[in-house]
Amino acid sequence: MADHFRFRTGLAIGLVALVTGCVTPSSTTTASAPEPVPPPATGTRITLVNAGFESTVPGARGDPEGWFSFQHAGPLSYRYTSDTSQKKSGERALRIDNIGPEIYGAVAQGVDARPHKGKVAKLSGWVKTIDANDNGVVLTLLATQGGSTVTQNFMLDAPIKGTTEWKRYTITLPVPLAQTMWARGVLA
């Protein structure tokens, strides 16, 4: 690699969002379609658009349908592509490649958080990495109100580093009074 900022990571993410009424937790990054996980009896499943990145319909700006991509700042540093060779299940996965100096890039999707106040959101995704740097790859749940972050969980204590095979990761976040909840797959 040319410098310590460059790495390949395939963030293959298949994301499943679930809101439950209890607080008990239940380089190249590639994300893939999630294997079906039935919600607990007390949970309400939140349907993310194109959660498994299977759709070939382009979204806004060419992003995966239902998602939008972004990066920290500066020159183009991340490439987001549909990957049919490094998939967990289904036909494709989302691949995120770091191709420049910026510190993170991500895909995100927002949902209305207001009906879920006082509950716990759960986000699960399958992730595979290739040479992810020490900042790692994380899933993120973020609650916002009026454009400001109210609370978040971004796997601070357990970023995914190095080269890993497909593994399912799950994070939770108590939902406060918030306007929007964001599900993200982030490559750092």
Side-chain angles (χ1 to χ4, degrees):
M1 307 289 160
D3 58 49
H4 73 279
F5 291 110
R6 290 185 178 253
F7 56 93
R8 280 186 26 220
T9 300
L11 173 62
I13 308 173
L15 299 174
V16 176
L18 177 69
V19 176
T20 61
C22 64
V23 277
T24 305
S26 356
S27 337
T28 300
T29 301
T30 312
S32 190
E35 294 177 3
V37 177
T42 60
T44 303
R45 190 175 198 92
I46 298 172
T47 303
L48 297 176
V49 176
N50 192 23
F53 302 102
E54 292 292 321
S55 175
T56 58
V57 175
R61 304 177 317 149
D63 290 331
E65 180 182 21
W67 296 89
F68 70 93
S69 63
F70 59 96
Q71 69 174 37
H72 176 256
L76 180 63
S77 293
Y78 290 87
R79 181 175 45 235
Y80 307 86
T81 57
S82 180
D83 189 336
T84 58
S85 65
Q86 296 285 325
K87 58 191 184 291
K88 165 73 174 119
S89 59
E91 296 296 318
R92 55 193 46 85
L94 174 65
R95 180 179 178 125
I96 302 174
D97 289 298
N98 176 233
I99 57 171
E102 291 307 318
I103 60 174
Y104 71 82
V107 292
Q109 188 170 143
V111 297
D112 185 358
R114 293 172 292 193
H116 310 293
K117 179 183 180 281
K119 297 181 180 174
V120 175
K122 179 169 107 175
L123 176 67
S124 296
W126 287 93
V127 179
K128 177 179 181 176
T129 62
I130 302 169
D131 298 331
N133 71 13
D134 286 341
N135 292 327
V137 172
V138 299
L139 298 180
T140 303
L141 279 170
L142 177 75
T144 62
Q145 177 68 39
S148 297
T149 299
V150 177
T151 187
Q152 64 183 337
N153 178 346
F154 56 95
M155 296 175 61
L156 177 64
D157 296 331
I160 308 156
K161 302 176 183 180
T163 298
T164 64
E165 290 302 316
W166 287 104
K167 182 177 175 184
R168 184 186 173 112
Y169 293 88
T170 300
I171 60 172
T172 60
L173 181 70
V175 181
L177 176 61
Q179 187 172 16
T180 306
M181 190 165 42
W182 297 94
R184 294 181 178 172
V186 180
L187 175 64

